[in-house]
Amino acid sequence: MENKMAKWGFKNQKEPNVTIRDILEILKRNLKENDQRPLIHLGHGDPSSYPSFRTTPVAEQALFTAIRSSQFNGYAPSAGISAARRPGYPLYEAHAAFSNLEVRHFDLLPEKGWEIDLDNVEALADDNTIAMVVINPGNPCGNVFTFEHMQKIAETAKRIGVLLIADEVYNHLVFGRNQFVPMGTFGSVAPMLTVGTISKRWLVPGWRFGWIAVTDPNGVLNKSGIAECIQSYLNITADPATPVQGAIPEILKKSTKDFFSKTNNTLREAADACYAKISEIPSLTCPHKPEGAMSTMLKINLPLLEDVKDDMDFASKLATEESGMWWD
């Protein structure tokens, strides 16, 4: 049995699939058990955990209305209720590995506001490259691409002959100098799929609702059969809860600008405070002040730290030290 299991590929994996949740669990194990102080998570993407980030009453009422209507207690169509705009949310590397696809990571340029190193993209691409994922606003860098840079991204995709997958989960969570521009604006340059969700903009990640939009005015995805494949994919994925789907039209229609402005103002204040504090720490550098999304990237100056090997070692020892300092 053991040999047979190994033959099937359940053993000797080349690289473990480590997720941010795995990392957080590792760090939590470095905390002292007797430390009763409240823990502030700086590494998870669930804004609903904090009272300053609560969804709009419009969304709560819409869900309540959908449940009370008794129209959304059964199964939804596999592609989702039509008014809810086709839900679905792919997990890139996990799905790629499951489908035996190779993932190549291109570089970002911190000194240029985390822009994509497009020369690096072209060097990585070959005849087997089929798609490029672009996350904007950026997670975890907190950047927002300019219109000009996004146009260059689309032109690069056209030149190397790939479709763009635009991850815009944090769309409109923008509070810096650059305004959010949908990647679909450049759909006439290169075909693209846009991934969106209500999770972050409406602060309800537990509702598990998202969508995939196709921007393909030149018909490339239809001719190649990719659009049909997406439809087939939706037929085998688990649906978001039907009452949530039923609430979507009212949520989209009635949510106010004031609600979104309040969220962005809170994020701006937090980003300013975080950036200012980091600037006071010699061993840490924030290459670019966050302008969007809910996170930022730091650089650790290892020569200034004693007995620290890398970022994971730093985070683990920081958790242990801060947790134990209060009680020792």
Side-chain angles (χ1 to χ4, degrees):
M1 172 62 74
E2 183 177 347
N3 291 338
K4 190 176 290 185
M5 296 291 280
K7 182 179 179 181
W8 288 344
F10 293 108
K11 199 175 181 182
N12 297 326
Q13 297 292 327
K14 292 182 180 179
E15 294 183 5
N17 289 323
V18 179
T19 67
I20 186 64
R21 292 184 181 181
D22 296 328
I23 298 297
L24 290 174
E25 288 303 314
I26 292 172
L27 295 181
K28 283 169 64 176
R29 291 198 289 269
N30 286 271
L31 301 176
K32 302 292 185 181
E33 293 183 2
N34 61 345
D35 189 342
Q36 301 300 313
R37 292 174 297 168
L39 178 64
I40 300 176
H41 284 280
L42 297 181
H44 71 71
D46 186 354
S48 66
S49 300
Y50 304 106
S52 55
F53 292 110
R54 181 173 178 177
T55 191
T56 169
V58 169
E60 296 172 341
Q61 181 60 42
L63 184 58
F64 177 75
T65 301
I67 294 173
R68 288 298 301 270
S69 72
S70 298
Q71 296 179 25
F72 306 105
N73 292 333
Y75 291 118
S78 57
I81 296 172
S82 58
R85 307 179 69 110
R86 296 177 178 264
Y89 189 78
L91 300 173
Y92 308 117
E93 290 195 63
H95 279 272
F98 185 78
S99 302
N100 200 30
L101 296 174
E102 178 186 355
V103 173
R104 297 177 181 176
H105 296 271
F106 53 79
D107 294 331
L108 303 180
L109 303 171
E111 68 278 7
K112 292 186 176 181
W114 297 107
E115 287 187 352
I116 296 173
D117 186 341
L118 296 174
D119 291 334
N120 179 231
V121 170
E122 296 205 47
L124 288 170
D126 56 29
D127 291 340
N128 295 318
T129 306
I130 58 172
M132 174 183 174
V133 177
V134 177
I135 304 175
N136 183 52
N139 175 26
C141 300
N143 59 298
V144 179
F145 291 140
T146 63
F147 181 96
E148 293 76 17
H149 185 61
M150 292 174 66
Q151 186 169 23
K152 291 179 181 178
I153 294 172
E155 291 169 349
T156 300
K158 179 180 180 180
R159 190 159 51 249
I160 62 179
V162 300
L163 70 89
L164 285 170
I165 299 174
D167 184 332
E168 297 180 354
V169 167
Y170 290 93
N171 66 337
H172 301 293
L173 289 180
V174 175
F175 41 84
R177 60 188 176 186
N178 294 334
Q179 296 197 359
F180 169 73
V181 178
M183 198 74 207
T185 304
F186 307 95
S188 60
V189 179
M192 62 190 65
L193 309 175
T194 298
V195 179
T197 174
I198 67 169
S199 295
K200 301 301 165 60
R201 195 181 183 200
W202 274 269
L203 311 174
V204 285
W207 290 17
R208 312 307 296 163
F209 183 92
W211 55 85
I212 301 172
V214 177
T215 308
D216 184 31
N218 298 319
V220 175
L221 302 184
N222 276 327
K223 294 173 185 176
S224 63
I226 292 179
E228 186 178 349
C229 288
I230 294 172
Q231 182 67 44
S232 298
Y233 163 80
L234 293 175
N235 287 335
I236 63 172
T237 58
D239 301 329
T242 314
V244 176
Q245 295 188 49
I248 290 300
E250 186 173 346
I251 292 174
L252 296 178
K253 182 179 180 180
K254 294 186 179 181
S255 295
T256 65
K257 292 182 179 180
D258 288 344
F259 165 69
F260 300 121
S261 296
K262 180 182 177 181
T263 300
N264 280 350
N265 289 337
T266 302
L267 289 171
R268 181 187 295 107
E269 292 173 4
D272 289 345
C274 180
Y275 186 79
K277 288 296 183 181
I278 291 169
S279 300
E280 298 173 359
I281 304 174
S283 58
L284 298 180
T285 303
C286 184
H288 184 75
K289 186 176 181 180
E291 298 182 288
M294 295 180 173
S295 56
T296 189
M297 285 284 283
L298 306 181
K299 181 178 180 180
I300 303 173
N301 192 342
L302 291 176
L304 296 181
L305 299 171
E306 182 179 348
D307 192 29
V308 174
K309 296 181 295 184
D310 53 29
D311 55 348
M312 193 64 200
D313 190 34
F314 169 79
S316 297
K317 289 178 177 176
L318 178 63
T320 300
E321 180 179 307
E322 288 298 314
S323 179
M325 179 182 292
W326 184 264
W327 298 100
D328 291 345

